[in-house]
Amino acid sequence: MSKFNQLSSGSVSKVLKIKTPVTFVNNTMARLALGIGLSVTLLTSGCATQNIQAYQNTTPTLDMHEFFSGQIDGWGMFQGRNGEVKKRFYVDIDATHEGDNVIVLDEKFSWADGSKSQRIWRLTKQADGSWRGTAGDVIGEARGEVTGNTLHWQYLLELPVDDKTYKVNFDDWMYLVDKDVMLNRSVMKKFGVELGSVTLSMHRNNK
């Protein structure tokens, strides 16, 4: 039995149906097939009022190079705005380093419907301690800030739906709850309208 089936058998997997007051976000958007990773990168309600400085004294302290090193297993789900689970996935992350300031995350996704996808992140630490990230389907640069046990990560993603591509905003909050376990919650929005959220549990594989 695969790692995905071991942890997710019996979960609900349906086509995403989203109601929105914005005219442009039409029935095609209602079939959004979630294409995110670490994107994983990446956690609370995604509320803009949350201040990362509130976590400055939280432990264990997140060291990006220490956690994102070697093999990482992740299990996640996408929920619509009403909380219903729409899609489930397993992600195999291979984390490597290029010098002292660059982390490369090769993420391979296995979705509940049997499909596969991949994203490769390149994360670079800045002089001020913040992080910038690039990936093939990320527009411009993702920007991240680490405080205490928490990483706040924001980016604009190109999300393919049928024969069109939409630009969707992701607001990620990641929390290190144990030296080998990180929890991530990401909220995705279009035109300021919340489309749903992603919850991801990442576990460093030290075997």
Side-chain angles (χ1 to χ4, degrees), residues 185-196:
R185 188 166 187 271
S186 175
V187 172
M188 52 187 292
K189 294 183 179 181
K190 180 70 176 176
F191 302 124
V193 177
E194 182 175 331
L195 303 178

Side-chain angles (χ1 to χ4, degrees), residues 34 75-79 85 87-89 197-200:
L34 180 64
W75 293 269
M77 62 181 180
F78 172 73
Q79 294 170 275
V85 176
K87 294 182 72 68
R88 297 168 290 123
F89 62 91
S197 64
V198 178
T199 302
L200 174 67

Side-chain angles (χ1 to χ4, degrees), residues 102-119:
V102 177
I103 300 172
V104 178
L105 304 178
D106 185 352
E107 303 175 337
K108 296 180 176 67
F109 294 87
S110 298
W111 299 88
D113 62 4
S115 62
K116 308 286 186 180
S117 60
Q118 181 179 20
R119 175 178 294 108

Side-chain angles (χ1 to χ4, degrees), residues 38-43 62-72 93-98 102-107 121 123 131 146 151 153 174-176 179-184 200 202-204:
L38 184 61
S39 54
V40 145
T41 133
L42 345 191
L43 292 160
L62 173 59
D63 182 317
M64 293 282 283
H65 278 85
E66 182 177 351
F67 183 82
F68 292 108
S69 178
Q71 292 299 126
I72 300 171
I93 304 172
D94 182 18
T96 58
H97 301 163
E98 294 180 0
V102 177
I103 300 172
V104 178
L105 304 178
D106 185 352
E107 303 175 337
W121 280 99
L123 313 181
W131 288 81
V146 176
L151 167 64
W153 196 243
M174 299 183 176
Y175 304 101
L176 186 67
K179 66 182 183 66
D180 294 323
V181 179
M182 180 178 285
L183 300 180
N184 176 107
L200 174 67
M202 290 177 282
H203 303 249
R204 292 184 63 211

Side-chain angles (χ1 to χ4, degrees), residues 135-199:
D137 51 0
V138 171
I139 300 172
E141 290 184 319
R143 300 193 176 196
E145 182 179 358
V146 176
T147 299
N149 74 334
T150 303
L151 167 64
H152 183 208
W153 196 243
Q154 295 177 301
Y155 52 97
L156 184 63
L157 186 75
E158 290 185 326
L159 194 64
V161 180
D162 296 332
D163 58 345
K164 296 183 179 181
T165 300
Y166 296 91
K167 299 177 181 179
V168 180
N169 291 291
F170 279 82
D171 186 47
D172 290 355
W173 288 84
M174 299 183 176
Y175 304 101
L176 186 67
V177 296
D178 176 86
K179 66 182 183 66
D180 294 323
V181 179
M182 180 178 285
L183 300 180
N184 176 107
R185 188 166 187 271
S186 175
V187 172
M188 52 187 292
K189 294 183 179 181
K190 180 70 176 176
F191 302 124
V193 177
E194 182 175 331
L195 303 178
S197 64
V198 178
T199 302

